[in-house]
Structures are given as C-alpha cells and as structure tokens.
Amino acid sequence: MSKIQPIRAYRKMIVMWLTVMMLVVAPFSTYGVTSSVQAAGAPGTNEPFVITEATIADMQTAMKEGRLTSVQLVQQYLDRIAKYDHQGIKLNSILTLNPKALEIAAQLDKERATTGVRGPLHGIPIIVKDNFDTADMPTTAGCVCLQNSIPDQDADQIAMLKAAGAIILAKSNLHEFAFGITTSSSLGGQTLNPYALDHYPGGSSGGTGAAIAANFAAAGLGTDTGGSIRIPSAFNSLVGIRPTVGLSSRDGIIPLALTQDVGGPIARTVEDAAILLQTTAGYDPDDMATAYSVGHIPDNYTDYLQVDGLKGARIGIATELFNNTTATEKSVTQVVYTAVDDIQRLGATAVPIQIPNLPQIMKYPSLSGYEFKFQINDYLNSLGEDAPYHNLNDILASNQFDPKQAESMKKRDAVTTLDTPEYKDIVLNRTKVTRESLLKVMADYDLDAIVYPTTTQPAATIGEEQISGDNNRLSPFSGFPAITVPAGFVNNKLPVGIEFLGRPFDESTLIKLAYSYEQGTHHRQAPTLTP
C-alpha cells in the first residue's frame, strides 16, 4: 500500500495489512483489541511492556535491554487507537493512520541492531496535528476540501523528526484551519475529551491533546497561534511548549497568522516535551524568523531537567490574570494558587506583580483575522499543480468545508489588503508594548518567569460556549516562550494547567522550572476511560 487514505476509508484495508505483517514480523500473536504484539517486560519473562504513561526514556531503555522492539511499540499504539478512538468510547482524535508505520519500525529495529540508534527518538511513535505537511500522507487542516492533498515534501519539523528516527504514526484532528478551540472539523467531526467525553478537548490542537493524553503515541506536535498548544494541553493534563517565534521552523505548516504561528511539543512529561523541542528547534533557510535562533539554542534542553530547578528562582505571580468572577473561574484560580504554594515549597520566591499596560495589551486582536487569507493563498500556491484549490475564495465556492465556519471564512476572504494603519498598528505597536511591558516587569523584580493560569476556565460541556480567557495572548503577542504543566483538577475530573512565561529564547529556564514543579507535584493522571 503506497498511498495513505483517511482512516474511515481504509480501516478494513489496514487491518488486513496488519494481519499480513503479523505473520512476517516476529513475535506476533493474533490481532485483537489488546496488544497483538506481546512486548516483553523484564528480561526472561513474558510480561508485556506497559505503554500507558511510559516515557520516551522508558521505551528506549526497554529497547536497549531487548525487552521491546519498535515494531511491538507501534503495534501496541495501533491497538489502543483501534480500541478507543473509533470504537469503544470513540475519542475521534485521529484523522489518518500511517499504514507504513510497522514497516518503518522494522527498518529502524534493524538499524538499531546493526549500526545503533540515532538518538532518543529512534523508533518512537509520534502523532502530529494535521496541519503539518507530510509528503507520504494527506495534510488537510481538518477540511474536506484538502482530504486528498499530499504535499511534495515534509514540513521542516516533520523532516527533523524523521531524521532523528521518529515514526510519524498518525495525523490528528484539529479545529478546522485552526480557527477555534473546540476541535471540530468537516473531515474529522468533534473530538472528545478523554477525561470527560461530554466535554471539549480544547483546541485547535485538540486531536493531538486527546490522543497523547489517551496514550496513543509517545508524544505529539501541535501548533499555537493564540493558545492552540497550551489550551488542549491544559485540558488534557499534558505539558505543552509554545516556543519563541523563530526557535523552530514554520515552513510546511498550514498558516493561520505567521506573525503569531509556532509549532511545538505536546507530551505527558516535561522531559518528553524537551526531547521533542531539542529535535525540532533550529535554523531553517525557508523560514527567515529562525535566523534569530542562531546562537540561542543550548546543546541539549534535557540538560535543564533539574529536580531542584525552582530552588532560588524568583517567579512573578500575575495576580491580575487570576479570575474570580464565576464559580468555575474561582475553582481554577484555587488550583493555581495551590500551585503557587507548591512553587514556594519547592524553593522559589513568589513575587506578586502587575504587568504594565495589561489592559492596553489585551484590547488588541489576534492577527488571524487579517493574515489568514493571504497566507493560505500562498500555501495553496506552494502545492503547485496538485493544489486542489488555488485560493480561499475557491474553497468558499466549493462548499467543501465546515458550514459553521462559513461566516469566519467569508470575513477573512473580504480582507483586501494588509496595507492599512490598523494592521500596522497591531504588528508594530502591539508587539512593542507587549514585549517591553513583560521585559520591564521581569527586570524590575529580577524574575526568572511569570506564572498564571493557562486558562481561566476548564473544558466546557460540548454544545456550550468554550471560554479560555485572555491569558494565552501574552506569549503570541510578544513572541516570547511559554510552557504549561498539569496543576491538578476541578470537579475531580477536569484538568487544569499552570503556565510559565519567560524571556525570548529562554526555553531552557522554563523547562528547568516546569520540570522541578512537575517532579515536586506529579499532578499528571491518565484518563480512566482509556486504561
């Protein structure tokens, strides 16, 4: 099978193909809802390797010791996807499976045995949001209009993952064209939250968030224009990193607003997120913004995984971003204030701060309403003769998209030029005032980072309005990095995240602080609905 199709179209074909593979790649047993490849546990035993909540380091150790192969690992994840995504509780997080995943895994197992490993991601399955270009499977942005669109080359971050030995196991659902935060699309439908199936998973990277929370792969990639990595990470008890604009290439990512767009890791642990960030960061001549990263990337972000990383740190507590208007906001605020207590318990000094010009900053809009038309048209043109449509207007005329997004798409298509005082004010003055305000308060109080709730409210019930608040604007408006880490739960079931924001290209400090907090609290819990 040389061409990848959407999962619904070829589910029977993939099962038949997997069955054939199971006859030729040992050690296989009969295909079923439990792992059909029985990965060994301790040496000399037949105990299966438990993939739920396993870290990348756990997997590498097991493969090094001969207790696990990449083929077995891929098969176990495929079994979990079959059991929980389109059957059983039907999370609906996956758009496309890679039918060559087992073949690639077998090749990487052979390479491991003959020439050794390429690095920590060798043979590790990764799920990526379906707005990253993949030359061997469709890249759809969740839209029916692009369901057969296969780009000529991988996005830069995808190419880097593959070069590191990672296996792109699947493409995940997203809010169509990344417009919203509930993760619904014409191609994939509504993705569910694995912690509460009647709740949203966040968005727009909600497919990746739900899939990684449910242990469908080791880790994943999302994109973030206004909060689309951090919101689903918070709603799914995950770690999400929105890197500095320019740290990692955006080339080959379907754009929403390039002034704000980034791609970054979504993982179950800070360590796994750091491994993905290390692999995907760096200069790309096809994305001029990455030239700013030269000289600002450490040898290895994992060097900053320090259990005592909060000891002696000074953390600014942005109290204005702790909302207390509604009961749900109060419950989130209480969880995050408890997190602040933990930060102090772990050795940091908590400094209450007020961010200068915050009301002015928050009045500015996102640029997705301005830039999308021109940048999606450029993206479609980059597909060449294979482009299914030439511009946004053609897509609107086709009616091959989520009708709930028609108004937003028409409004964006009506923008005729970016040469306006309004747009220039946002690009120049919004960026300037946000950066200077954040840098000033951090300098005035000698801060290592600023902390606040990732979202002011938890995941909403499907059918109701999803509100996340404005906290997620600080990172994209400034271009500065932010990391969200699990902080606990409200109502005993809905995850809450705490966000650390830092100086440009200072992801290493954020990783150090977040890892120390994670190791000192261990708030991450796997969803009970996907045991």
Side-chain angles (χ1 to χ4, degrees):
M1 186 183 299
S2 60
K3 189 173 181 180
I4 295 175
Q5 306 168 43
I7 185 171
R8 291 184 182 86
Y10 74 80
R11 191 181 303 132
K12 291 183 180 179
M13 295 171 63
I14 190 69
V15 171
M16 291 174 62
W17 186 85
L18 291 173
T19 302
V20 173
M21 285 297 295
M22 286 187 285
L23 295 175
V24 297
V25 182
F28 286 87
S29 63
T30 56
Y31 184 82
V33 294
T34 56
S35 178
S36 56
V37 181
Q38 293 300 320
T45 76
N46 292 319
E47 296 176 4
F49 177 82
V50 179
I51 60 170
T52 51
E53 299 301 289
T55 67
I56 292 171
D58 292 335
M59 299 170 197
Q60 289 295 352
T61 297
M63 287 191 277
K64 180 180 180 181
E65 295 176 350
R67 299 185 287 115
L68 178 69
T69 67
S70 181
V71 166
Q72 293 167 338
L73 186 58
V74 166
Q75 183 61 60
Q76 288 198 69
Y77 280 131
L78 289 173
D79 289 343
R80 286 186 64 81
I81 292 170
K83 183 174 183 179
Y84 294 124
D85 202 60
H86 283 76
Q87 301 178 50
I89 61 174
K90 297 182 179 179
L91 282 183
N92 209 31
S93 67
I94 303 299
L95 288 178
T96 306
L97 284 175
N98 185 348
K100 291 188 176 181
L102 284 167
E103 178 184 338
I104 295 168
Q107 293 169 351
L108 289 165
D109 282 336
K110 182 178 180 180
E111 182 179 324
R112 177 186 294 271
T114 56
T115 61
V117 299
R118 304 182 193 180
L121 287 177
H122 188 107
I124 301 297
I126 303 295
I127 287 174
V128 301
K129 185 178 183 179
D130 198 16
N131 58 351
F132 283 85
D133 278 354
T134 46
D136 50 0
M137 32 182 146
T139 300
T140 71
C143 186
V144 169
C145 65
L146 297 177
Q147 62 182 324
N148 297 314
S149 179
I150 302 179
D152 290 334
Q153 61 184 24
D154 292 325
D156 187 70
Q157 291 196 45
I158 300 300
M160 295 172 84
L161 285 174
K162 288 182 177 179
I167 301 166
I168 308 304
L169 181 67
K171 307 287 291 290
S172 57
N173 196 22
L174 64 153
H175 201 106
E176 190 158 324
F177 285 114
F179 277 10
I181 59 172
T182 59
T183 303
S184 177
S185 71
S186 59
L187 187 61
Q190 176 64 61
T191 298
L192 309 182
N193 189 312
Y195 291 89
L197 300 179
D198 57 344
H199 284 62
Y200 293 116
S204 61
S205 310
T208 303
I212 302 308
N215 286 271
F216 291 169
L221 286 183
T223 62
D224 191 312
T225 304
S228 292
I229 285 173
R230 293 160 293 148
I231 294 170
S233 295
F235 286 1
N236 289 279
S237 196
L238 296 170
V239 176
I241 299 178
R242 179 192 158 91
T244 306
V245 173
L247 183 76
S248 303
S249 175
R250 286 90 45 86
D251 182 59
I253 298 175
I254 297 178
L256 180 57
L258 281 173
T259 301
Q260 299 171 201
D261 287 350
V262 295
I266 296 176
R268 290 183 292 272
T269 69
V270 175
E271 180 179 5
D272 288 351
I275 291 171
L276 256 67
L277 186 66
Q278 182 66 36
T279 304
T280 53
Y283 173 65
D284 174 17
D286 294 321
D287 183 354
M288 289 186 294
T290 58
Y292 290 99
S293 72
V294 176
H296 295 291
I297 301 175
D299 291 338
N300 201 320
Y301 286 112
T302 60
D303 292 340
Y304 296 87
L305 299 171
Q306 301 170 15
V307 174
D308 61 351
L310 280 165
K311 189 174 182 179
R314 290 178 58 82
I315 308 297
I317 311 303
T319 53
E320 296 166 292
L321 301 180
F322 288 64
N323 289 7
N324 285 292
T325 303
T326 67
T328 53
E329 288 176 339
K330 289 178 180 178
S331 62
V332 169
T333 293
Q334 184 56 53
V335 170
V336 179
Y337 269 125
T338 299
V340 172
D341 292 339
D342 287 330
I343 286 171
Q344 295 180 92
R345 173 179 58 82
L346 293 166
T349 298
V351 184
I353 63 168
Q354 289 190 324
I355 298 171
N357 306 306
L358 187 62
Q360 178 187 354
I361 293 168
M362 293 304 187
K363 285 182 181 179
Y364 279 108
S366 170
L367 285 169
S368 63
Y370 297 81
E371 297 181 356
F372 176 73
K373 169 188 175 178
F374 305 100
Q375 292 166 2
I376 191 65
N377 289 352
D378 288 343
Y379 172 80
L380 292 171
N381 287 332
S382 75
L383 297 176
E385 296 179 355
D386 295 331
Y389 299 94
H390 293 97
N391 52 52
L392 179 57
N393 189 258
D394 287 349
I395 294 175
L396 280 165
S398 75
N399 288 318
Q400 297 297 303
F401 57 88
D402 187 345
K404 297 191 294 293
Q405 299 210 148
E407 184 178 346
S408 294
M409 293 176 72
K410 289 176 181 177
K411 185 176 180 179
R412 286 168 166 83
D413 193 52
V415 179
T416 58
T417 180
L418 295 179
D419 188 17
T420 64
E422 181 183 23
Y423 175 74
K424 292 175 182 177
D425 176 60
I426 298 170
V427 172
L428 298 175
N429 294 326
R430 185 195 72 177
T431 304
K432 181 176 184 291
V433 70
T434 308
R435 288 178 176 177
E436 290 180 350
S437 297
L438 292 172
L439 289 174
K440 175 175 172 54
V441 73
M442 294 185 77
D444 285 348
Y445 291 95
D446 190 24
L447 302 178
D448 295 284
I450 298 172
V451 153
Y452 43 84
T454 307
T455 64
T456 57
Q457 297 194 22
T461 301
I462 293 174
E464 298 180 359
E465 182 182 11
Q466 177 65 71
I467 298 172
S468 64
D470 296 329
N471 297 358
N472 47 49
R473 294 185 172 201
L474 289 177
S475 178
F477 283 9
S478 64
F480 293 179
I483 183 170
T484 180
V485 188
F489 294 78
V490 296
N491 302 327
N492 296 319
K493 67 176 182 178
L494 298 176
V496 172
I498 183 172
E499 184 163 317
F500 294 78
L501 181 138
R503 293 179 175 83
F505 297 107
D506 199 15
E507 283 81 359
S508 55
T509 294
L510 294 183
I511 287 168
K512 179 178 71 172
L513 300 173
Y515 182 76
S516 180
Y517 173 75
E518 173 196 60
Q519 295 300 303
T521 57
H522 295 287
H523 285 303
R524 159 71 189 170
Q525 294 180 22
T528 58
L529 296 172
T530 56

